[in-house]
Amino acid sequence: MEFPEDLKYTKEHEWARLEGDGRVRIGITDYAQDALGDVVYVDVPEAGTAVAASQPFTEVESTKSVSDVYSPVTGTIVERNALLDEHPELVNDAPYGDGWIVVVQPADPAELEALLDAAAYRGFVEQVES
Amino acid sequence: MVAETLKHSPLEEEHLALGAKVGPFAGWAMPIEYAGAVSEHRAVRERVGLFDLTHLGKVDVTGPGALGMLQRVVTGDLSKTEVGHALYNLVLNDRGGIVEDLIVYRLGDDRYFVVPNAANAVRVLRMLEEEKALGPLHLMYHQDWCFLAVQGPRSVEVTGKVLTGASELEFMRCTETEYRRRPVILTRSGYTGEVGFELFTYQDIAVELWHDLLEAGSPFDIQPCGLAARDVLRLEMGYALYGQDLSEDRTPLEAGLSWTLALDKPSGFRGRDAVLRQQREGIPGRLRGLLMADRRHIPRAHCQVFDRNRRVGEVTSGTFSPTLQRGIALAYLRPEMDLGAALEVEIRGRRGSAQIVRPPFVDRSPR
């Protein structure tokens, strides 16, 4: 299971990456995709949609269940991963890469500071699993 | 983590070594998935998959009293089932509600082999114990047996390499063969819609048998498959699952299983009068197939079904069909809802368009 060092994490198993332009790329973690099983549908919201920190903004559906995805930050979606419309399995194959879900323009980039770092998230997952 | 009270398959170590997610299922710790339900589904539809189904019940009913006793418990007419043949049956309560669905295999003149669902095995055993018999009979509940299934278009080659008698076996037939000098009950049956075999034998040789089947299947890229893939496969065929689509609150007429009823067999069977009464009075609902119009809408159990603003039924099983790339479901609908009708399924607050179709949803056959 991977926990890339350059990401921030939520306890709901999303990751957030601060990009050079101050925007935040969001997806679900390796742990989350593994727990869900084969993803068959991602309801990727349109650009322009407002999202709020710790609030669900979309759903990821696998063969066996559906799971809410929570936004790590408050802001506005500026980019959506249209590849997931036809290839939802990318969430399983590359959760931190081509399986990203949206890019958000954050209202307050400092919000990222409050999220878990890789070590803290790994610890959280290990605690959940034990 | 798996609770200590769960029963364990003799193959659990093999499953864990293959990276399976093992989870609770009907009181057992069983493999839910290995590589993932979608790729396992594809293996069974296109090549071959291997399942551990040891959680299912395995009961021998033997003796001169066996046939007469079974006839009064199950809905089918076993007197017409020849040695080496199998029959799908229901077991009903006195109200005509479905207590169980099971296959009865006839292994000999006075020898039957019954495979109930895991959750119902003990209850079925009690019914078999309590039903009056006119001749002597023995019940043997094989708790020390395992149950493997080889399913998919290449299952004939794979099973035939490991067990003699496999390649000649026709659909819904059974035979006794052997493996490492232990008896094996081998049947041409399954729950996937593909050609397939089911194997019952002693647990002490389960690991060797599992490995031999995997090795025999390696030229065909055989995949171990979990219960998640099995559920998708059976739902694509429209096969009802006990506990979801079948229950004591539903009758065979409602479930679309009237073909399992031998209403005129001389022994009768439990629940027959209630079924006849419902046949006269009409059914409150009928199990139907629903095909969603848009791949975004994946129906799940308990989703409500609407005809415009009128609620007309409820989904009992729903999933995403990898074959069709669309959501499919089984739902109990008001009886006047006809094939082809356009309805809506409410999925987490939103409506998705659906059409009533006649299962199987996919064009496959286990024959």
Side-chain angles (χ1 to χ4, degrees), chain B residues 34-355:
Chain B
Y34 302 78
V38 172
S39 70
E40 293 164 29
H41 163 277
R42 185 180 309 125
V44 173
R45 286 274 177 260
E46 295 176 0
R47 308 185 309 275
V48 58
L50 178 61
F51 297 81
D52 176 8
L53 305 173
T54 296
H55 58 294
L56 275 87
K58 310 154 214 76
V59 184
D60 260 345
V61 187
T62 313
L67 175 61
M69 184 276 286
L70 284 170
Q71 284 281 63
R72 284 188 301 282
V73 174
V74 304
T75 55
D77 188 354
L78 289 171
S79 71
K80 294 179 179 155
T81 302
E82 294 169 35
V83 173
H85 290 224
L87 189 66
Y88 176 78
N89 281 282
L90 300 177
V91 177
L92 307 182
N93 63 26
D94 292 328
R95 294 174 288 112
I98 302 170
V99 171
E100 173 65 328
D101 69 328
L102 45 74
I103 294 182
V104 179
Y105 300 93
R106 188 169 190 188
L107 296 173
D109 283 337
D110 289 337
R111 266 190 78 208
Y112 295 86
F113 182 59
V114 182
V115 182
N117 286 290
N120 290 340
V122 171
R123 176 153 187 208
V124 168
L125 194 64
R126 294 284 166 273
M127 290 179 81
L128 298 177
E129 283 169 1
E130 286 162 13
E131 187 64 46
K132 273 193 300 218
L134 298 175
L137 69 95
H138 285 294
L139 293 176
M140 178 132 35
Y141 182 25
H142 292 294
Q143 302 208 62
D144 56 342
W145 278 29
C146 64
F147 174 5
L148 304 184
V150 187
Q151 302 277 304
R154 311 314 290 266
S155 63
V156 182
E157 288 112 305
V158 175
T159 312
K161 253 197 251 182
V162 179
L163 297 170
T164 52
S167 36
E168 306 89 77
L169 213 55
E170 290 174 52
F171 181 58
M172 287 300 272
R173 301 286 164 86
C174 55
T175 187
E176 284 176 284
T177 178
E178 61 167 38
Y179 175 79
R180 300 205 169 208
R181 295 192 170 165
R182 312 295 204 294
V184 177
I185 296 175
L186 175 66
T187 71
R188 248 298 309 279
S189 49
Y191 199 46
T192 63
E194 298 298 326
V195 169
F197 296 86
E198 300 186 304
L199 291 62
F200 306 84
T201 191
Y202 286 93
Q203 290 194 3
D204 68 303
I205 49 168
V207 172
E208 290 89 338
L209 181 56
W210 175 264
H211 283 292
D212 278 353
L213 288 167
L214 284 180
E215 195 183 312
S218 65
F220 311 109
D221 198 14
I222 192 171
Q223 251 185 274
C225 298
L227 298 177
R230 190 168 184 254
D231 193 54
V232 175
L233 289 158
R234 70 93 190 168
L235 195 46
E236 283 190 335
M237 294 305 291
Y239 296 156
L241 174 63
Y242 197 87
Q244 270 183 241
D245 313 306
L246 307 180
S247 73
E248 290 202 62
D249 298 326
R250 293 294 180 180
T251 70
L253 304 183
E254 295 163 50
L257 295 172
S258 48
W259 61 272
T260 65
L261 306 174
L263 291 167
D264 53 357
K265 69 176 171 177
S267 62
F269 55 86
R270 190 184 290 202
R272 176 176 170 272
D273 293 345
V275 168
L276 288 172
R277 193 178 322 122
Q278 193 185 46
Q279 212 169 40
R280 290 191 302 270
E281 295 173 358
I283 54 175
R286 170 78 156 76
L287 192 65
R288 297 286 194 184
L290 290 175
L291 175 63
M292 304 304 293
D294 188 312
R295 71 164 283 155
R296 290 177 304 164
H297 299 132
I298 304 172
R300 302 289 182 183
H302 311 302
C303 283
Q304 303 297 307
V305 184
F306 292 87
D307 177 13
R308 288 177 289 270
N309 287 323
R310 187 168 65 118
R311 189 187 158 280
V312 295
E314 184 174 308
V315 170
T316 49
S317 287
T319 195
F320 179 78
S321 161
T323 304
L324 301 175
Q325 293 287 306
R326 284 214 258 152
I328 55 173
L330 293 176
Y332 279 97
L333 303 178
R334 296 177 62 90
E336 69 271 22
M337 296 290 116
D338 283 327
L339 278 176
L343 301 174
E344 288 184 316
V345 182
E346 189 168 287
I347 303 166
R348 296 183 303 285
R350 282 177 293 184
R351 298 269 184 100
S353 302
Q355 189 178 30

Side-chain angles (χ1 to χ4, degrees), chain A residues 34 37-38 40-41 43 59 61-66 85 88 129, chain B residues 1 21 33 35-39 295-296 298 300 319-320 348 350:
Chain A
D34 185 63
D38 285 350
V40 293
Y41 178 64
D43 184 14
E59 295 166 343
E61 189 141 14
S62 70
T63 49
K64 55 186 176 194
S65 68
V66 58
D85 295 342
E129 282 292 280
Chain B
M1 283 280 99
K21 274 180 212 153
E33 60 182 4
V38 172
S39 70
R295 71 164 283 155
R296 290 177 304 164
I298 304 172
R300 302 289 182 183
T319 195
F320 179 78
R348 296 183 303 285
R350 282 177 293 184

Side-chain angles (χ1 to χ4, degrees), chain A residues 64-86:
Chain A
K64 55 186 176 194
S65 68
V66 58
S67 181
D68 282 326
V69 183
Y70 293 77
S71 182
V73 294
T74 299
T76 307
I77 294 172
V78 290
E79 208 181 318
R80 66 187 293 275
N81 187 354
L83 267 182
L84 297 184
D85 295 342
E86 292 301 316

